[in-house]
Amino acid sequence: MKTFKNLMLMLTLVFSIASCSSDNDNDNDDTVNTSREVKYEVTGNFSGELDASYLEKSGAPLIEDITALPWTKEFTADANSDGALVHASGYGGVSGQTVTAKVIVGGKVVSELTGTANSDGIIVVHPKTYVFPR
């Protein structure tokens, strides 16, 4: 499990760097969400081992076992934190089970993705990284 977690953390970091962008495609209006109130949510019916990789309030990456769904994490991001992201991954589930991961900033869902376990019961869900406006 430790090797799997390390691999997932490394993939999260690679995806984070590759997906960072200064524009926010999720806003359909001209208002800018300047809030740093962050909430991560992971929901679904996945029954296997599951963990979340996320950026915590300082922007440092962390991995946490998810012992039950739904799972949430809330905090106020530090001023020097660049963004928010959550990545859920797991194994040992049943094909077809799902997990939804959300990034919520200032009470607004800014990134969301649902994934489905493959035939081996493995699931990986990595919604877009949200970049705080500067």
Side-chain angles (χ1 to χ4, degrees):
M1 181 70 177
K2 187 86 167 157
T3 302
F4 181 75
K5 283 185 179 182
N6 288 337
L7 175 63
M8 289 299 109
L9 178 59
M10 190 59 81
L11 287 173
T12 297
L13 294 174
V14 169
F15 283 123
S16 298
I17 292 167
S19 66
C20 284
S21 170
S22 62
D23 63 332
N24 186 355
D25 297 332
N26 294 321
D27 284 341
N28 292 327
D29 56 30
D30 292 333
T31 61
V32 175
N33 187 353
T34 59
S35 176
R36 290 195 166 257
E37 297 300 316
V38 176
K39 180 178 183 181
Y40 299 133
E41 280 184 3
V42 178
T43 59
N45 63 358
F46 190 75
S47 61
E49 298 287 325
L50 197 59
D51 63 47
S53 303
Y54 59 92
L55 295 179
E56 52 93 28
K57 70 179 191 167
S58 72
L62 292 176
I63 297 177
E64 185 174 316
D65 289 333
I66 297 176
T67 57
L69 291 173
W71 173 90
T72 61
K73 181 69 65 178
E74 295 184 63
F75 59 88
T76 301
D78 293 346
N80 61 348
S81 178
D82 292 322
L85 94 111
V86 64
H87 172 203
S89 58
Y91 64 94
V94 176
S95 177
Q97 290 180 325
T98 62
V99 166
T100 298
K102 294 181 185 179
V103 177
I104 302 163
V105 177
K108 180 179 179 184
V109 175
V110 295
S111 184
E112 176 178 6
L113 186 65
T114 299
T116 303
N118 68 12
S119 61
D120 294 325
I122 296 171
I123 195 164
V124 176
V125 180
H126 190 283
K128 285 178 152 181
T129 301
Y130 176 79
V131 179
F132 294 120
R134 297 272 181 198

